[in-house]
Amino acid sequence: MAVALREKQLPPFVSGLPFIGNALSLRSDMTAFLVRNYHQHGSVFRIRVLNQEYFILGGIDANRLLSKEGNTLFTGEGVFGGFAEQCDSDNFLPAMEGETHRHLRKILRPGYSKEAVAPHLQQLLDITTGHIDTWSKAPRVGYIPVTYKRVSI
């Protein structure tokens, strides 16, 4: 049986402007905003962007939680499911869960190992540097990070 969380059980909430919430702070300097609130509120806190509430997890404790329990606590379906549909793919790793996700990660893991990547480091560096060199010519595009959470109580 699901039980609604009471406000006092929720992580701290970062106050913001009416309706737009924390959008301006995220847009102007997202990293500084998140780090400042991590130091002020701890590893887990909530923000609001355009009337949508998000849980932010940060720091070593959050990384440990994600590495141990991430597959049972979180899902990428809400964020990446639509993207997978647009790509007409049933096997889009970030949107997958459960045994199928674990199986595909296991199959793909060798291709992302140090040994597999090492012979191609210079090529990767050249491609990355070439791409970064184009950034100053491109128009700036703002973005807002999205976190997602599925909780069963």
Side-chain angles (χ1 to χ4, degrees):
M1 176 172 71
V3 177
L5 291 174
R6 291 185 199 98
E7 187 68 28
K8 67 181 180 180
Q9 294 174 303
L10 291 173
F13 180 73
V14 178
S15 62
L17 296 171
F19 183 70
I20 63 171
N22 307 111
L24 294 178
S25 298
L26 287 165
R27 183 176 177 172
S28 65
D29 192 344
M30 178 183 64
T31 302
F33 171 79
L34 294 174
V35 169
R36 181 175 61 252
N37 283 289
Y38 167 78
H39 287 296
Q40 184 175 353
H41 299 292
S43 298
V44 182
F45 55 92
R46 296 175 295 143
I47 64 171
R48 180 167 284 126
V49 177
L50 303 176
N51 278 349
Q52 293 291 315
E53 187 174 305
Y54 299 96
F55 285 74
I56 306 297
L57 284 74
I60 192 69
D61 291 335
N63 279 287
R64 286 182 181 136
L65 173 69
L66 290 171
S67 69
K68 291 180 182 176
E69 304 292 333
N71 290 337
T72 58
L73 295 175
F74 303 97
T75 178
E77 175 62 31
V79 175
F80 296 108
F83 187 74
E85 282 180 34
Q86 289 182 8
C87 292
D88 195 26
S89 173
D90 293 330
N91 296 312
F92 187 65
L93 188 61
M96 297 170 72
E97 295 183 11
E99 186 55 40
T100 307
H101 177 85
R102 284 188 291 282
H103 176 70
L104 188 55
R105 281 189 58 159
K106 183 178 179 181
I107 291 170
L108 294 173
R109 187 174 294 127
Y112 291 95
S113 69
K114 297 186 282 192
E115 296 78 17
V117 173
H120 308 284
L121 281 178
Q122 188 59 52
Q123 182 182 8
L124 289 169
L125 180 62
D126 293 343
I127 291 169
T128 304
T129 304
H131 182 71
I132 290 171
D133 288 343
T134 67
W135 288 358
S136 61
K137 301 169 193 158
R140 293 188 76 186
V141 177
Y143 68 95
I144 296 173
V146 177
T147 60
Y148 46 93
K149 186 171 187 178
R150 175 181 65 195
V151 179
S152 298
I153 299 178

